[in-house]
């Protein structure tokens, strides 16, 4: 009876967690290819510098049809403490009941924003503009920041918004912080399953000594390289392929939910997952003939592990 009750709870909880009973509009609107209709954030919301003087900067947002910007998400900052910005002059927007923020003021189409500037010494500075918007079909973009380089006389040398070069450029400090963050993750409980993998599969009983350390590196470094390459590809092509919208589609969420239900049934003992006898016997023979502690084997295992986890 307890197993049956647990299964019923699982069957109702997983679809709810997958958003099947959510009243918010779906990112795909029920179509398998509709997720491709969402534009990258820089195409959905185009920001440009219209005019720049020592006393005022005029910015222009152009939202694509079916996309809107939030008034309360606008932010304006400078990279120089001696340059002060006044209160932005933003025209009245349109009231909207939003699925994410409730009653908000939003902007469709073209929006011009006038930003007073106090720069007595006529110093060049960087203007950072933060904004966030959504699509009427249900996709909400994460907060975005663009930067302008403003000359001392108020002109903008590049005459266009840079792609956050100052914020996104790699530095030794950023690399060190990423390294420390990854090092901290190695002390979390989710890493504990790696210990029997290293000792049983990679080292094969050859614990201790410099060879064991090198074998561990042969396993970890290819896995870390695989994650780095996959992460870089996601960063480069993620916006262009609209992966955020695609992964929010029920065509992705429902199969994954069904897989979780299937594997949960196996864990409850309803059935047992095992390889066919032909495959399992061959793998056993290969494992028995393989020499423990192979550098090539550890490297291949690390690479394959990164692909499987991703």
């Amino acid at each position: 009876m307890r197993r049956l009750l647990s299964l019923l709870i699982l069957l109702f909880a997983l679809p709810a967690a997958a958003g099947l009973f959510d009243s918010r509009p779906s990112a795909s609107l029920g179509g398998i290819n509709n997720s491709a209709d969402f534009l990258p954030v820089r195409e959905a919301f185009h920001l440009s510098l219209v005019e720049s003087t020592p006393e005022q900067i005029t910015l222009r947002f152009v939202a694509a049809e079916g996309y809107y910007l939030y008034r309360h998400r606008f932010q304006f900052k400078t990279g120089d403490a001696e340059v002060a910005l006044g209160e932005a002059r933003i025209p009245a927007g349109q009231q909207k009941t939003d699925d994410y923020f409730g009653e908000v003021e939003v902007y469709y189409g073209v929006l011009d924003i006038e930003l007073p500037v106090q720069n007595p010494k006529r110093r060049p500075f960087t203007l950072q503009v933060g904004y966030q918007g959504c699509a009427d079909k249900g996709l909400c973009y994460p907060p975005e920041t663009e930067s302008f380089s403003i000359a001392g006389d108020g002109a903008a040398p590049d005459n266009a918004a840079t792609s956050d070069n100052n914020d996104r450029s790699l530095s030794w400090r950023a690399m060190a912080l990423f390294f420390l963050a990854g090092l901290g993750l190695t002390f979390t409980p989710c890493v504990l399953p790696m210990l029997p993998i290293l000792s049983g599969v990679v080292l094969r009983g050859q614990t201790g000594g410099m060879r064991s350390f090198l074998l561990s590196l042969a396993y970890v470094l290819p896995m870390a390289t695989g994650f780095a390459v996959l992460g870089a590809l996601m960063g480069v092509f993620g916006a262009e392929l609209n992966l955020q919208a695609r992964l929010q589609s029920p065509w992705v969420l429902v199969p994954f939910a069904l897989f979780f239900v299937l594997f949960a049934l196996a864990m409850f003992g309803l059935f047992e997952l095992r390889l066919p006898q032909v495959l399992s016997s061959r793998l056993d023979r290969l494992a028995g003939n393989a020499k423990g502690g192979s550098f090539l084997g550890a490297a291949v295992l690390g690479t394959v592990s990164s692909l499987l986890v991703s």
Side-chain angles (χ1 to χ4, degrees), residues 156-176:
D158 297 332
N159 198 26
T162 61
S163 302
D164 258 344
N165 292 329
N166 294 332
D167 296 336
R168 299 182 182 180
S169 60
L170 291 178
S171 64
W172 288 110
R173 182 179 179 182
M175 296 294 292

Side-chain angles (χ1 to χ4, degrees), residues 64-80:
E65 184 178 359
Y67 296 80
Y68 57 91
L69 289 163
Y70 295 110
R71 181 189 180 98
H72 69 283
R73 302 298 288 178
F74 287 127
Q75 293 182 348
F76 308 96
K77 299 179 182 179
T78 63
D80 194 329

Side-chain angles (χ1 to χ4, degrees), residues 1-9 268:
M1 186 64 184
R2 290 182 179 179
R3 287 187 177 183
L4 180 60
L5 180 60
S6 301
L7 290 177
L8 291 176
I9 294 175
F268 279 111

